[in-house]
Amino acid sequence: MFQRTLARLTVINSFVFFIIYFLFTLILYGYLSYRLFDRVDEVMRLHASGFRLANGIVVPLEHPIFDPRIFVLARSTDGRIVNPIPFHENELKNIDEITSNIEAGELNTKDYEGHVYRIMRWPYSYQEDLYDSAANFRIESVFVVSIVDSEVQLLNNFLWLIIGGGVISVLGIIVAGFLLAKRAMVPIQEAWEKQQQFVSDVSHELRSPLTGIYSNAELMLRHPDETIREECHRINTIMQEAKRMIKLIASLLTLARSDAGKSDISLSLINLSDVVNEVISHFEVFKEINHISLVATVESNVEVVADRDRVHQLIVILLDNAFKFTPAGGQVTIDCYIANRNAIVSVRDTGIGIAPESISCIFDRFFREDKSRSKNSGGTGLGLSIAKWIVEKHAGKINVKSALGKGTKFTVSIPIQRRHQT
């Protein structure tokens, strides 16, 4: 699938590059052609519009432009052509053929006997039109002829350069298209692999509680005569696995909504100190059950613009992880205060710590450094992913410092002044 997509992207990228190259060279060729002939055409127009007679003699231009490639011809009313300003005599032996079929006001280019001529015919509009009384030559129009061999040769050379460069550029375009397509495929492939891993992890996580529920239910059906008291351990197991499934599904729903940009975030001014104290009160029971001391230092009236429920969920996740991975006799410390215009919540424990190579992965979904221990403690590997998402939705930051055997410290900072958003 990826190879086919890579080939398709390569073709599309190459086609786009080729179109850009074609349009660029076309514009460049047109511009060069225009600039080459524009000056010649302007001089020809000056010669044509400035040609007139005075007492049967040609009056020179007010500001003559001397270009040996340009000469002027006069055409009589009966079709005869003469050269009133004699030069280029050797070029005029077939002038009738060169100037044939040229309409008045028309600019034309003709190839003739190895030369390229640019020809303009201009109507003669002055009253005095008698050029040669003996031959009864009355001027009807003026031809201005210019030899443009050098301009045409330059354009032809440039065209061949474009064609030759185009052949070479096609190879470069294909290579560039392939490299860009390959680079574009990297995040696609990573996203695909993450999705596949996500589906695999979800399937694995759901299979475990479902297997426990099914197995215990089947064992209960095999002993239909036993009382509820006798089967209470199996019922308790079913309830625990169902609770685990509910927690997993709720976490997955939160992450799915966050990925789709449809998460429920309702910001308002909240007292963060009250939220922290509320969560601490819920964890008081763990002090006695797990024999872990909880030390809290909460500055009063720390206010932030935030979603109260999500912030509550964030602090629960951090404290829950701290208690999970702190052995009996250890200590969990939570602080809440203001520093540098940010509300700071830090949770520190004296637990098992995190390996240095795992710190960069702890916010990945379903990542669990000690999977067996996490499973036994009811972890799904989604808590810190949700915690990071909550912090980012509040334009905050979450940092972690840890050392194996010494403990871990999570620090969350949330700006205390933000606009209300929903």
Side-chain angles (χ1 to χ4, degrees), residues 198-217:
F198 182 78
V199 172
S200 175
D201 290 338
V202 169
S203 301
H204 176 76
E205 292 294 336
L206 288 175
R207 185 185 300 115
S208 178
L210 285 173
T211 300
I213 292 172
Y214 180 84
S215 300
N216 283 277

Side-chain angles (χ1 to χ4, degrees), residues 321-339:
N321 275 351
F323 276 94
K324 276 181 187 174
F325 300 108
T326 300
Q331 178 177 295
V332 173
T333 303
I334 180 170
D335 300 316
C336 177
Y337 56 93
I338 295 177

